[in-house]
Amino acid sequence: MGVHFIELNFSSATEKLQISPAGFDIIFPAMLDYARDLYVNLRLEPTTLNDLIHKCYQSHSVETEAYLAYVPEGLGELQDWESIMKYQKRNGSLFNSPSMTAAAYIALPNSGCLNYIHSALKKFGNAVPAVYPLDLYSQLCTVDNLERLGISRYFRKEIQSVLDETYRCWLQGDEEIFMDASTYKITKIIQEWPSSSFCGNMKDKDANLELYRASELILSPDERDLEKQNLRLKHLLEQELSGGLIYSRQLGRNIDEEVNHDLHNPFFANLDRVAKLRIIEHYKFDDTRILKTSYWLPNFGNKDFLFLSVEDFNKCQAIHHEELKELERWVIENRLDELKFARSKSSYCYFSAAATSFAPELSDARMSWAKNAVLITVVDDFFDVGGSLEELKNLIQLVEAWDADVSTEFTSQNVQIIFSPLRRTSCEIGDKAFIRQERNVTDHIIEIWLDLLNSMMKEAEWAKENSLPTVDEYMSNAYVSCALGPIVLPDLYLIGPKLSKEMVQHSEFYNLFKVLSTCGHLLNDIQTCERELKDGKLNVVPLYVIGSGGEITKEAAITEVKNSIKSHRRELLRLVLEGKNSVLPKPCKELFWHMSTVLHLFYSKDDGFSSEEFIRVVKAIIYEPIVLNEL
């Protein structure tokens, strides 16, 4: 029966798109060779058989050598057994594989190999798994699963225990934590990990995708090797995608769709809630995986995880829907809809909040973010097109006076409509923050608004006087006029951790805000360059050209700005992931990164506010509950 099956299905062995176990192209021909040595009559074409076993020798790169070391069972006497022993782990195994460790021991008796085989047999009996040990990898995959599904907050204690154990293994140099790229990615996010410490099997498409995702976590200009690997992996995945050669060792996984999505949607423009919705929609119960044989772990495709994540998503969405209605009522009650010069963007302002801080207990933070974002849009339009210089000065004077009797001091109705909700909302946020922080932070919120208004006034005066500041002068003001201060900074007081006055005055706090805001303003200038040039408005791109005396072109200036955006984004990520020398709580630092993802998404296209795809995403997050039977 076995011989008949091989003869009948032999053509599948040469089918490129056939899903096959790892090393099949080496091990299967070797099995046939052994069969011939045993005088088993196989009616197969000898040329085809010989071609199969010699294909792996067409390349002699380091990656190919590592791959051949991974499949020693199929090479027999052709294998340089002494050379592959450099891959032996401290537990005595080769790649944590019982089968290849046994093959190595047969060819080259080694006490480490024998002890590893004995430990596997003692634990599992006569049948051993494809990989052993797998405990830490399984636990980290579970952590990753919970995080990606948006339900990690229900398992904080258990997750922290796994991460503590992982970090302990890292300090001890435990080799199991280097099993694959997904492990590397998780651990790099939770601690400081050297970027050069991971590698992968380049014949494995799943590993290529995970390596590509991990290689995106570039934190500094010094990680040139990681950047080169990122570009190489991107090119490799693009080639595989265009050639139709993408398949997965996870049965049922749409690897081509995942690759296409990741290549066109970088992680730094991926809103947290949108990413989690995508994971839920593409969750697979059958998460059987293939190495040298198929294997399945209960937490890989756990149904309970999916049911909990859908229930949680819909529960949060119902809250978000009601909060958006409240925001829209607030806009009308405060007469902001009467300001004809102002854009109406309340749904987008709220979406940016709900898509980053979605948990029910963060309601105050979401409403603070959304209301201040609406006010920012109004104020920005007021300084840009809606207000006279006198009105702009009046608004600043009112914020400076704050608690004074201002009932008769408005120069126009527009000023009154803007200042009244600005003051009232800031006081409400201050009162809620006082409950959490146990100290008065309203003065800080006023200071944030004043800094913004003064920076906007400086830009208005430059425009009125037709002044051309240098790039440095422009950017020293631009990071404040980017208008992220009133959105992000008050929110830090509402997301949970206590922030002392010393923390807020620390250089880390200032650096996070400045790097984020500089990146945001540069993103804005890149997208609005053409329009602002026509309108005669200040923009960093023409300032670069003018400042060079015409020595650099507009295209070169745009390239320079894009490089600066990349540099600031990486610096922001480094600051957010900083562990040992950080004084700010992790949730507070993550809020800066969440805003960065919002900015990169909104400025990824000129029509980001109006594209049909973007509107569809907003509806999916806020209005359309997930129905399980449709998944």
Side-chain angles (χ1 to χ4, degrees):
M1 290 293 292
V3 171
H4 179 67
F5 178 85
I6 291 174
E7 293 173 344
L8 191 64
N9 295 279
F10 185 67
S11 60
S12 298
T14 58
E15 174 57 53
K16 290 183 178 180
L17 297 182
Q18 176 70 35
I19 297 177
S20 59
F24 179 82
D25 54 339
I26 303 296
I27 297 173
F28 179 66
M31 290 174 59
L32 299 182
D33 263 353
Y34 294 152
R36 290 193 303 188
D37 290 343
L38 294 172
Y39 302 104
V40 176
N41 184 25
L42 296 172
R43 292 187 293 273
L44 304 174
E45 169 57 42
T47 303
T48 304
L49 177 60
N50 291 332
D51 287 346
L52 281 175
I53 199 168
H54 288 295
K55 278 183 180 179
C56 63
Y57 295 104
Q58 294 174 359
S59 172
H60 296 282
S61 66
V62 173
E63 291 164 359
T64 302
E65 290 177 9
Y67 176 64
L68 294 179
Y70 184 69
V71 290
E73 307 98 306
L75 294 176
E77 295 179 357
L78 297 177
Q79 178 63 271
D80 182 356
W81 292 100
E82 293 283 354
S83 68
I84 74 164
M85 294 311 293
K86 67 184 179 182
Y87 298 104
Q88 187 175 31
K89 296 178 176 292
R90 283 198 292 269
N91 64 7
S93 76
L94 292 175
F95 298 100
N96 283 343
S97 169
S99 64
M100 73 176 69
T101 306
Y105 180 74
I106 292 172
L108 193 68
N110 175 286
S111 61
C113 291
L114 185 61
N115 290 336
Y116 169 78
I117 294 168
H118 280 161
S119 70
L121 291 172
K122 183 177 180 181
K123 183 175 180 66
F124 297 103
N126 294 328
V128 296
V131 179
Y132 166 74
L134 200 61
D135 294 345
L136 186 57
Y137 170 72
S138 173
Q139 291 170 4
L140 284 171
C141 284
T142 301
V143 170
D144 189 44
N145 210 0
L146 294 171
E147 174 60 33
R148 284 153 61 88
L149 287 169
I151 52 177
S152 59
R153 66 186 188 281
Y154 295 110
F155 303 93
R156 287 194 179 104
K157 183 178 178 180
E158 293 82 359
I159 289 174
Q160 191 57 52
S161 176
V162 171
L163 299 185
D164 289 344
E165 174 64 13
T166 303
Y167 189 51
R168 183 190 65 78
C169 290
W170 166 263
L171 293 176
Q172 294 178 356
D174 192 317
E175 295 158 314
E176 190 184 351
I177 63 175
F178 298 111
M179 277 195 61
D180 72 355
S182 60
T183 304
Y184 169 84
K185 186 172 182 179
I186 296 170
T187 48
K188 185 168 184 179
I189 289 176
I190 59 171
Q191 300 289 352
E192 292 182 347
W193 295 69
S195 59
S196 61
S197 60
F198 72 98
C199 59
N201 171 17
M202 302 310 293
K203 292 180 178 287
D204 189 328
K205 308 303 184 293
D206 301 85
N208 289 345
L209 179 57
E210 290 300 334
L211 280 169
Y212 173 71
R213 289 169 174 170
S215 68
E216 286 192 298
L217 298 179
I218 301 171
L219 307 183
S220 75
D222 297 331
E223 297 184 302
R224 294 184 182 89
D225 289 342
L226 187 57
E227 188 162 11
K228 288 178 182 177
Q229 188 166 24
N230 175 261
L231 294 174
R232 183 168 60 87
L233 287 163
K234 183 178 182 181
H235 179 66
L236 176 64
L237 290 170
E238 287 172 342
Q239 281 186 321
E240 292 172 338
L241 193 63
S242 63
L245 298 177
I246 296 281
Y247 65 92
S248 174
R249 295 200 184 279
Q250 293 177 227
L251 299 184
R253 183 180 185 185
N254 296 322
I255 191 73
D256 55 341
E257 186 177 336
E258 288 189 47
V259 168
N260 186 60
H261 178 271
D262 281 24
L263 290 176
H264 293 91
N265 298 274
F267 81 102
F268 53 78
N270 208 0
L271 296 188
D272 194 38
R273 198 60 169 161
V274 178
K276 286 172 171 51
L277 174 61
R278 178 178 173 79
I279 294 298
I280 293 172
E281 290 176 338
H282 293 82
Y283 194 79
K284 300 296 181 183
F285 289 141
D286 182 6
D287 200 12
T288 301
R289 307 187 180 195
I290 300 176
L291 290 175
K292 291 186 177 178
T293 184
S294 61
Y295 70 102
W296 179 84
L297 293 174
N299 287 340
F300 280 1
N302 191 298
K303 290 185 179 181
D304 292 332
F305 288 171
L306 179 64
F307 295 152
L308 177 58
S309 66
V310 170
E311 180 183 353
D312 180 73
F313 184 94
N314 291 341
K315 175 185 175 182
C316 292
Q317 187 184 70
I319 295 172
H320 298 163
H321 195 184
E322 291 303 314
E323 289 176 353
L324 177 55
K325 289 181 181 179
E326 180 185 339
L327 179 67
E328 291 170 340
R329 287 193 299 270
W330 173 83
V331 169
I332 296 172
E333 290 168 359
N334 286 282
R335 303 171 59 195
L336 295 173
D337 58 321
E338 298 178 16
L339 300 173
K340 302 306 178 185
F341 60 83
R343 293 163 291 171
S344 177
K345 299 295 180 184
S346 56
S347 60
Y348 292 101
C349 292
Y350 180 78
F351 167 76
S352 66
T356 54
S357 302
F358 58 84
E361 62 268 21
L362 296 177
S363 178
D364 287 341
R366 281 192 298 275
M367 294 307 291
S368 167
W369 176 305
K371 288 180 179 180
N372 279 328
V374 170
L375 288 170
I376 287 294
T377 304
V378 171
V379 169
D380 183 53
D381 290 342
F382 189 55
F383 273 78
D384 199 21
V385 296
S388 66
L389 201 59
E390 182 184 8
E391 288 175 311
L392 304 184
K393 290 179 179 178
N394 180 222
L395 180 59
I396 293 175
Q397 290 167 354
L398 290 167
V399 175
E400 288 174 336
W402 197 259
D403 289 323
D405 182 7
V406 296
S407 58
T408 61
E409 296 183 15
F410 299 110
T411 58
S412 70
Q413 187 178 57
N414 284 348
V415 174
Q416 182 178 9
I417 291 175
I418 295 171
F419 176 73
S420 297
L422 189 158
R423 183 182 185 280
R424 187 160 47 250
T425 301
S426 296
C427 290
E428 289 173 358
I429 294 171
D431 291 342
K432 290 176 180 178
F434 181 83
I435 297 173
R436 289 171 172 78
Q437 301 295 327
E438 298 181 341
R439 67 184 184 89
N440 190 338
V441 300
T442 303
D443 288 345
H444 185 213
I445 296 174
I446 298 169
E447 179 185 338
I448 293 167
W449 272 107
L450 270 177
D451 287 344
L452 171 62
L453 296 176
N454 284 322
S455 69
M456 287 181 164
M457 176 59 76
K458 179 176 285 189
E459 290 188 349
E461 291 171 346
W462 280 339
K464 181 178 176 59
E465 298 167 0
N466 292 320
S467 296
L468 282 178
T470 65
V471 171
D472 289 342
E473 290 171 339
Y474 175 76
M475 291 307 303
S476 67
N477 185 71
Y479 85 88
V480 181
S481 67
C482 185
L484 300 181
I487 302 174
V488 176
L489 302 184
D491 231 44
L492 297 171
Y493 293 122
L494 300 173
I495 59 175
K498 286 190 176 181
L499 286 176
S500 67
K501 191 173 182 179
E502 290 72 25
M503 288 180 178
V504 175
Q505 294 175 343
H506 196 275
S507 59
E508 182 183 8
F509 187 94
Y510 170 79
N511 289 337
L512 280 162
F513 174 62
K514 185 174 183 180
V515 172
L516 166 67
S517 298
T518 300
C519 188
H521 208 293
L522 292 174
L523 283 166
N524 175 76
D525 279 11
I526 283 285
Q527 289 298 343
T528 61
C529 177
E530 295 297 332
R531 184 175 70 247
E532 291 183 341
L533 277 173
K534 291 177 182 178
D535 295 343
K537 296 179 180 178
L538 290 174
N539 186 288
V540 73
V541 174
L543 288 178
Y544 262 115
V545 176
I546 295 169
S548 71
E551 292 183 5
I552 64 173
T553 63
K554 174 187 165 186
E555 290 71 24
I558 290 175
T559 299
E560 182 71 22
V561 173
K562 287 182 176 179
N563 288 335
S564 184
I565 290 171
K566 182 192 295 185
S567 175
H568 281 86
R569 182 177 64 242
R570 291 176 178 176
E571 174 62 11
L572 178 63
L573 184 58
R574 187 192 68 78
L575 289 169
V576 170
L577 297 181
E578 176 64 53
K580 292 184 295 185
N581 301 316
S582 179
V583 301
L584 295 178
K586 183 180 177 182
C588 295
K589 294 192 295 180
E590 288 176 340
L591 195 67
F592 288 93
W593 181 254
H594 290 327
M595 174 55 85
S596 176
T597 62
V598 170
L599 295 170
H600 277 86
L601 178 64
F602 278 21
Y603 288 123
S604 61
K605 296 179 181 179
D606 290 327
D607 61 349
F609 269 126
S610 59
S611 68
E612 291 184 6
E613 174 64 16
F614 196 80
I615 293 172
R616 186 196 68 78
V617 171
V618 172
K619 288 181 179 178
I621 295 298
I622 299 179
Y623 295 105
E624 300 170 355
I626 300 174
V627 181
L628 267 176
N629 59 19
E630 293 181 357
L631 295 178

